[in-house]
Amino acid sequence: MKPSLPQGTRDFGPEVVRKRQYILNTIKAVFELYGFQPLETPAMENLETLMGKYGEEGDKLIFKVLNNGLGDAKNIEKSKAAFENALQGKNDKNLTERALKYDLTIPFARYVAMNHGQLTFPFKRYQIQPVWRADRPQRGRYREFYQCDADVVGSKSLLNEVELTNIYHQAFTQLGIKNYELRINSRKILTGLAERVKAAEKFLEITIALDKFDKIGLKGVEEELRKIGLDEGDVVFITNGFLFISTHPNTNQERLRQLRVLFQKVPIALEGIDEIEYVLNHGNDNKTIVVDTTLARGLNYYTGIIFEAKAPAEVKIGSIGGGGRYDDLTGLFGVPNVPGVGISFGVDRIYDVMEDLKLFPETVEKGTKVLFFNLGDEEAKTTYRLLQEVRSAGVPAEIFHEAQKFDKQFKYAEKKNIPFIIIIGSAEVAEQTAVVKDLRSGQQQKLPFEKLKEFLFI
Amino acid sequence: MKPSLPQGTRDFGPEVVRKRQYILNTIKAVFELYGFQPLETPAMENLETLMGKYGEEGDKLIFKVLNNGLGDAKNIEKSKAAFENALQGKNDKNLTERALKYDLTIPFARYVAMNHGQLTFPFKRYQIQPVWRADRPQRGRYREFYQCDADVVGSKSLLNEVELTNIYHQAFTQLGIKNYELRINSRKILTGLAERVKAAEKFLEITIALDKFDKIGLKGVEEELRKIGLDEGDVVFITNGFLFISTHPNTNQERLRQLRVLFQKVPIALEGIDEIEYVLNHGNDNKTIVVDTTLARGLNYYTGIIFEAKAPAEVKIGSIGGGGRYDDLTGLFGVPNVPGVGISFGVDRIYDVMEDLKLFPETVEKGTKVLFFNLGDEEAKTTYRLLQEVRSAGVPAEIFHEAQKFDKQFKYAEKKNIPFIIIIGSAEVAEQTAVVKDLRSGQQQKLPFEKLKEFLFI
């Protein structure tokens, strides 16, 4: 049998795991610095927790887990009925009642709803875990991938939005990603826009049309808006008025001023504009923030400020994060009035950005620092003692597993990128010295045993 | 809808995540010190990768993932046929072709088989990931739990076994778990035992009987051996001869001597005894190692030395780790002759041991160190600048989200176990000072802004 991996899934070998860990640990440290606390939820959720939360298309992409014991004698009747239902496209509890989580937001809402009596609000949590989607795999799109989220729930304060913009800035800066852009808009402005074009009931459709701007451009959005049934004047208002604000270079202040002109009689939009202004005035880094009227974010649950972090233009990778404010996520689970705001980091894309721009520090890949050669059981006893001493000083070290020829042992060190080798033969045991070779420079020297730790620790 | 979790799964809140991370990071650091490299494999594997690898009982406990689009019009015929097969207890690719991984060993073997051309042997990898089993949930047994494994493949050297015993010792010691025991035995001795009682073909059944010793005791094992069909003399040889060696207090050396007497004419057993002796002589910690003839380990694939780590007797938790040598794990996937040896840490049980014995250091639970009170937008500007300075010094800090009454802000700090609060009112802004209060001691003092960082950093 020739082994293979399921489509859209990946193994991560040592080098990749280390680099991914570097990204995740950096972001995690920033979350902690801002007072966010870790949460982990199981891979499987009850199917009913997930279904109906991601739209019709989303529902189809949920991986469902088969109940065990379907073919068992005692379950035959139930299973038959379940299969009948499945053939009619209906979910049946006797076929599947669990599913793999599709994102971290709904499980978080489920957790808050289940535990709201015990939690201290505002509750600030971060969560870094894999999620699963039965999407058609393609470049940069996988069926298992990590999400990395931070959310505050139980607070309406805009200070949270300010904090989240600062988290983006600090995390990207620490990762070395300069020239990223944090796009900002408000669903309140979009709500105002729908009102302004006398199509409040078409708010979601308009949002979805705007959300396609990056892919289909201004002409495409125009087309979509016509399809929705907006009249020509309103289409022009949106494309030549509203979107124009962002498709032409300008300062954030000027864009906000133009928005105030467009929406002078639409209170909800003015509220959104004020909120954006508050965030711009309070953040410790508003140079990377860009007011962007083309930003819409497709997800239904956003109600206030929305964010999207864009990779530096030179790498052509697009979005590397996003988020926004929602009013009532836990309402879905019977606990109303828990407003919140959250952001997400796109780990896979951040990885690609960092590879493209060569931003991973060399130290990330550090594995074993020294290989002790194996010259046979007699010498190995001394070697083994020294090896343990070196390790006790915190230096990752190995002994070659067998007393093979030197060239084999050298090759092992080279392939594993181990910078130092140490050779202790019978002569060295007698002298209490070790031959130390730096494989990068080729330099070789004899050191007394007691100097070894010190030498390697540098 | 009242939200709930699938049976046998758990949410991990902030405190638990931090404690679990402490355990995993400690073990991980030891793995790295010994030259092991990280590997991650996907949650889902192809069903055929997993089926047939864990015995009939194991197969039943594998969580299978339903194919998407079963009820879609174009799939109806295939789905019907698949359902027919399922009702007869047969797997069908049109119903399910993926499953959640059941352990880390088989996915590792699959990885090695797929990548053996690129890997440097001996290949030393560690892997810390969740696995899933449809076991009936009970105290201490979950349907999703973490495994934490280290394996070396591509080497027959006993130095690997020595290294693994040292890893156990160093990891448990660093976690503060003293008085653990590392039980050691060899499947070669058990093979010799089966030969010695003229039942070589019943090796596995005998092993399974011995494996139950902890649960059913000596009498129970006797019963099982009779059921297998061993004659009375052989049953007595096993219980009163072989097992007696370990059920009575004695030194390892004496136990090995007694084993040599029992197996003087059984070469395979003598080989096993020699190997154990080698490990005892070469490990840097053989005080915690106990030669244990009752140790069998049920898994088919072990062929040499086997380990089991037992929790300190006072906590009554039993096994907290185990492993052993296998000859040919990747043979299952068409790549023969890759011998290896591995160990596993039982993370959930180690967690319980550490809770019972209060071994988690206080620093593990450290979250936010200081809460800045929010006294309104005007003061908040100064506060926010100082907050960012404190964070830039690496001190986790928060500002309360709204200018609420002091008692509410105090309560938040208390509930979140934040040790320091800082109050900056308009008087303080004018003076450039901050009121700092230590909530543990109740002590309060005024500090100039420039002293804040220094004070909090201690």
Side-chain angles (χ1 to χ4, degrees):
Chain A
M1 178 200 151
K2 214 174 137 63
S4 65
L5 269 179
Q7 246 200 327
T9 69
R10 297 165 287 174
D11 288 322
F12 297 125
E15 187 192 323
V16 181
V17 173
R18 289 212 171 96
K19 288 178 175 172
R20 289 172 61 88
Q21 283 301 327
Y22 173 76
I23 295 173
L24 297 177
N25 287 339
T26 303
I27 298 172
K28 194 172 128 176
V30 176
F31 289 158
E32 294 267 352
L33 211 49
Y34 280 71
F36 286 74
Q37 297 184 302
L39 173 71
E40 288 177 16
T41 64
M44 289 190 283
E45 291 280 349
N46 287 322
L47 191 54
E48 60 198 16
T49 299
L50 305 185
M51 294 301 281
K53 309 302 190 300
Y54 306 104
E56 211 176 308
E57 280 310 301
D59 276 3
K60 284 189 194 156
L61 302 183
I62 292 172
F63 277 113
K64 303 182 187 78
V65 177
L66 206 55
N67 288 3
N68 288 73
L70 279 176
D72 292 358
K74 61 173 189 219
N75 299 328
I76 291 289
E77 285 313 311
K78 275 192 282 182
S79 300
K80 267 188 191 164
F83 291 155
E84 281 306 319
N85 279 330
L87 288 174
Q88 291 163 40
K90 285 186 248 168
N91 280 315
D92 189 305
K93 278 214 157 198
N94 289 312
L95 178 65
T96 167
E97 49 186 351
R98 287 172 290 256
L100 296 181
K101 65 179 177 238
Y102 179 90
D103 71 0
L104 302 180
T105 308
I106 291 298
F108 172 55
R110 193 261 312 140
Y111 173 83
V112 173
M114 275 176 74
N115 298 283
H116 70 285
Q118 286 79 53
L119 300 175
T120 304
F121 289 102
F123 180 61
K124 298 158 80 172
R125 84 87 173 79
Y126 69 87
Q127 194 169 350
I128 302 176
Q129 291 192 288
V131 300
W132 294 268
R133 295 182 186 180
D135 246 323
R136 187 179 297 274
Q138 59 183 48
R139 189 178 176 280
R141 193 206 278 160
Y142 302 98
R143 290 185 156 179
E144 168 177 294
F145 58 96
Y146 266 70
Q147 288 195 335
C148 175
D149 286 13
D151 288 80
V152 192
V153 293
S155 169
K156 288 182 176 171
S157 166
L158 283 172
L159 263 186
N160 298 305
E161 274 86 338
V162 173
E163 293 270 82
L164 293 172
T165 64
N166 288 342
I167 286 179
Y168 268 134
H169 187 64
Q170 187 156 350
F172 287 136
T173 304
Q174 276 177 222
L175 290 170
I177 301 177
K178 293 166 201 157
N179 308 322
Y180 80 94
E181 274 183 359
L182 185 59
R183 305 288 178 129
I184 190 170
N185 197 6
S186 170
R187 291 290 275 245
K188 289 181 181 172
I189 297 177
L190 298 177
T191 304
L193 178 69
E195 283 180 20
R196 177 69 179 67
V197 298
K198 300 154 309 251
E201 76 292 351
K202 291 180 177 161
F203 165 67
L204 266 183
E205 289 163 273
I206 295 173
T207 306
I208 291 168
L210 294 187
D211 196 38
K212 296 182 182 164
F213 175 81
D214 274 354
K215 282 183 198 146
I216 61 179
L218 207 57
K219 284 283 158 211
V221 173
E222 238 177 76
E223 218 39 63
E224 293 282 319
L225 292 172
R226 277 190 202 111
K227 269 192 222 157
I228 294 170
L230 296 192
D231 66 37
E232 203 50 30
D234 291 330
V235 171
V236 170
F237 176 83
I238 294 180
T239 54
N240 288 9
F242 183 69
L243 296 180
F244 183 88
I245 292 175
S246 296
T247 53
H248 286 71
N250 231 328
T251 63
N252 287 328
Q253 281 317 314
E254 179 54 23
R255 285 180 180 178
L256 291 181
R257 197 193 60 76
Q258 292 176 0
L259 281 170
R260 282 188 205 284
V261 173
L262 281 191
F263 294 110
Q264 50 185 305
K265 284 170 196 154
V266 191
I268 184 77
L270 293 173
E271 207 179 301
I273 297 165
D274 286 345
E275 291 181 358
I276 292 176
E277 191 150 38
Y278 182 94
V279 173
L280 292 177
N281 286 341
H282 286 74
N284 67 332
D285 171 71
N286 53 26
K287 275 166 296 182
T288 53
I289 304 183
V290 179
V291 173
D292 183 1
T293 56
T294 72
L295 178 65
R297 309 242 349 125
L299 288 170
N300 288 353
Y301 50 74
Y302 291 125
T303 52
I305 280 183
I306 47 180
F307 302 112
E308 190 157 299
K310 296 243 178 189
E314 67 260 42
V315 292
K316 298 199 174 73
I317 282 176
S319 170
I320 51 175
R325 174 168 286 278
Y326 41 86
D327 272 346
D328 191 20
L329 209 56
T330 57
L332 292 166
F333 300 108
V335 180
N337 305 318
V338 185
V341 54
I343 56 170
S344 187
F345 284 86
V347 181
D348 285 299
R349 289 191 174 176
I350 291 173
Y351 185 97
D352 292 342
V353 171
M354 294 189 62
E355 279 288 16
D356 275 14
L357 299 178
K358 297 192 176 29
L359 296 177
F360 288 108
E362 251 182 62
T363 49
V364 168
E365 284 169 64
K366 74 163 189 339
T368 302
K369 188 163 183 182
V370 53
L371 176 69
F372 284 83
F373 272 28
N374 191 330
L375 277 76
D377 214 35
E378 211 35 63
E379 293 87 347
K381 277 187 188 169
T382 305
T383 303
Y384 208 79
R385 186 175 53 77
L386 290 168
L387 169 64
Q388 292 302 85
E389 272 183 33
V390 165
R391 283 173 176 160
S392 72
V395 178
E398 295 181 52
I399 180 169
F400 195 71
H401 67 129
E402 282 170 351
Q404 292 181 8
K405 284 183 188 155
F406 272 25
D407 63 334
K408 287 227 171 176
Q409 306 200 35
F410 269 118
K411 214 167 185 177
Y412 178 81
E414 274 167 26
K415 280 196 179 169
K416 272 193 88 172
N417 270 319
I418 300 174
F420 294 99
I421 57 152
I422 293 185
I423 303 173
I424 301 169
S426 50
E428 283 78 22
V429 173
E431 291 173 12
Q432 302 278 297
T433 61
V435 175
V436 182
K437 184 168 182 171
D438 183 332
L439 292 183
R440 297 159 307 181
S441 68
Q443 274 193 332
Q444 186 170 313
Q445 58 183 308
K446 257 193 187 185
L447 284 176
F449 286 169
E450 65 272 17
K451 296 274 181 195
L452 264 186
K453 265 203 283 189
E454 190 187 327
F455 175 82
L456 289 169
F457 201 63
I458 302 160
Chain B
M1 180 202 149
K2 212 175 139 62
S4 65
L5 268 178
Q7 246 200 327
T9 68
R10 296 165 288 174
D11 288 322
F12 297 125
E15 188 193 323
V16 181
V17 173
R18 289 213 171 95
K19 288 178 174 172
R20 288 172 61 88
Q21 285 300 328
Y22 174 75
I23 295 173
L24 297 177
N25 287 340
T26 304
I27 298 172
K28 194 172 129 176
V30 177
F31 288 157
E32 294 265 354
L33 212 48
Y34 280 71
F36 285 73
Q37 298 183 303
L39 174 71
E40 288 177 16
T41 65
M44 289 190 283
E45 290 280 349
N46 288 323
L47 191 56
E48 61 197 16
T49 299
L50 305 185
M51 294 302 282
K53 309 302 191 299
Y54 306 104
E56 212 176 306
E57 281 310 302
D59 277 3
K60 284 188 193 155
L61 302 182
I62 291 172
F63 276 113
K64 302 181 187 79
V65 176
L66 206 54
N67 289 2
N68 289 72
L70 278 176
D72 292 358
K74 62 172 187 213
N75 298 327
I76 291 288
E77 285 312 311
K78 274 193 282 181
S79 299
K80 268 188 191 165
F83 291 156
E84 281 305 319
N85 280 331
L87 288 173
Q88 292 162 41
K90 285 185 248 170
N91 281 314
D92 188 305
K93 278 216 158 196
N94 289 313
L95 179 64
T96 166
E97 48 186 350
R98 287 172 290 256
L100 297 182
K101 64 178 176 237
Y102 179 90
D103 71 1
L104 302 180
T105 309
I106 292 297
F108 172 55
R110 192 262 313 141
Y111 174 83
V112 173
M114 275 176 74
N115 298 282
H116 70 283
Q118 284 78 53
L119 300 176
T120 304
F121 289 102
F123 180 60
K124 299 158 81 172
R125 86 85 174 79
Y126 70 88
Q127 194 169 351
I128 302 177
Q129 292 191 289
V131 300
W132 295 268
R133 295 183 186 180
D135 246 323
R136 188 179 296 275
Q138 60 182 49
R139 189 179 178 279
R141 192 206 277 159
Y142 302 98
R143 288 183 158 181
E144 169 176 295
F145 58 98
Y146 265 71
Q147 288 195 333
C148 174
D149 286 13
D151 288 81
V152 192
V153 293
S155 169
K156 289 182 175 172
S157 167
L158 283 171
L159 264 186
N160 297 307
E161 275 86 338
V162 172
E163 294 270 82
L164 294 173
T165 65
N166 288 343
I167 285 178
Y168 267 134
H169 187 63
Q170 187 156 350
F172 286 135
T173 303
Q174 276 178 222
L175 290 170
I177 302 176
K178 294 165 200 159
N179 308 323
Y180 81 95
E181 274 184 358
L182 185 60
R183 307 287 178 128
I184 190 169
N185 197 8
S186 170
R187 292 290 277 245
K188 288 182 181 172
I189 297 177
L190 298 176
T191 304
L193 178 69
E195 283 180 19
R196 176 69 178 67
V197 298
K198 298 154 313 246
E201 78 290 354
K202 291 179 177 159
F203 165 69
L204 265 183
E205 290 163 273
I206 296 173
T207 305
I208 291 167
L210 294 187
D211 197 39
K212 296 181 182 165
F213 175 81
D214 275 354
K215 281 183 200 148
I216 60 178
L218 207 56
K219 284 283 157 211
V221 173
E222 238 178 77
E223 219 38 62
E224 294 283 318
L225 292 172
R226 276 189 202 112
K227 270 190 222 158
I228 294 169
L230 296 192
D231 66 35
E232 204 49 31
D234 290 330
V235 171
V236 170
F237 176 83
I238 293 180
T239 54
N240 288 7
F242 183 69
L243 295 180
F244 184 88
I245 292 174
S246 296
T247 54
H248 287 71
N250 231 327
T251 63
N252 286 328
Q253 280 316 314
E254 178 54 23
R255 285 179 181 178
L256 292 180
R257 196 195 61 77
Q258 291 175 1
L259 280 170
R260 281 189 205 284
V261 173
L262 281 191
F263 293 110
Q264 50 187 303
K265 283 168 196 153
V266 190
I268 184 78
L270 293 174
E271 208 178 299
I273 298 165
D274 286 346
E275 290 180 359
I276 292 176
E277 191 151 39
Y278 182 95
V279 173
L280 292 177
N281 287 342
H282 286 74
N284 66 333
D285 170 71
N286 53 28
K287 276 165 296 182
T288 52
I289 304 184
V290 179
V291 173
D292 183 1
T293 56
T294 72
L295 178 65
R297 306 229 11 110
L299 289 170
N300 288 354
Y301 51 72
Y302 290 126
T303 52
I305 280 182
I306 47 180
F307 303 111
E308 192 157 299
K310 295 244 178 188
E314 67 261 40
V315 291
K316 298 201 174 69
I317 282 174
S319 170
I320 51 175
R325 174 167 285 280
Y326 42 85
D327 272 347
D328 191 20
L329 210 55
T330 56
L332 293 166
F333 300 107
V335 180
N337 306 320
V338 185
V341 54
I343 57 170
S344 187
F345 285 85
V347 181
D348 286 299
R349 290 190 173 179
I350 291 172
Y351 185 97
D352 292 342
V353 170
M354 293 188 62
E355 278 289 15
D356 277 12
L357 299 178
K358 300 191 173 27
L359 296 176
F360 287 108
E362 251 181 63
T363 49
V364 167
E365 284 169 65
K366 72 160 191 341
T368 302
K369 189 165 183 182
V370 53
L371 177 70
F372 285 81
F373 272 28
N374 191 330
L375 277 77
D377 214 34
E378 211 35 64
E379 293 87 348
K381 276 188 188 169
T382 305
T383 303
Y384 208 80
R385 185 176 52 77
L386 289 168
L387 168 66
Q388 292 301 86
E389 272 183 33
V390 165
R391 284 173 175 158
S392 73
V395 178
E398 295 181 51
I399 180 169
F400 194 72
H401 67 130
E402 283 170 350
Q404 292 182 8
K405 284 183 188 154
F406 272 25
D407 64 334
K408 286 228 173 177
Q409 306 200 35
F410 269 117
K411 215 167 185 177
Y412 179 81
E414 274 167 27
K415 280 196 179 169
K416 273 192 90 171
N417 270 319
I418 300 174
F420 295 99
I421 56 151
I422 294 183
I423 303 173
I424 301 168
S426 50
E428 282 78 23
V429 173
E431 292 173 13
Q432 302 278 297
T433 60
V435 175
V436 183
K437 184 167 183 175
D438 183 332
L439 293 183
R440 296 159 308 183
S441 66
Q443 276 194 328
Q444 187 171 310
Q445 58 184 305
K446 258 193 187 186
L447 284 176
F449 287 169
E450 65 272 18
K451 295 274 181 194
L452 265 187
K453 265 203 282 189
E454 190 186 327
F455 175 81
L456 289 168
F457 200 64
I458 303 160

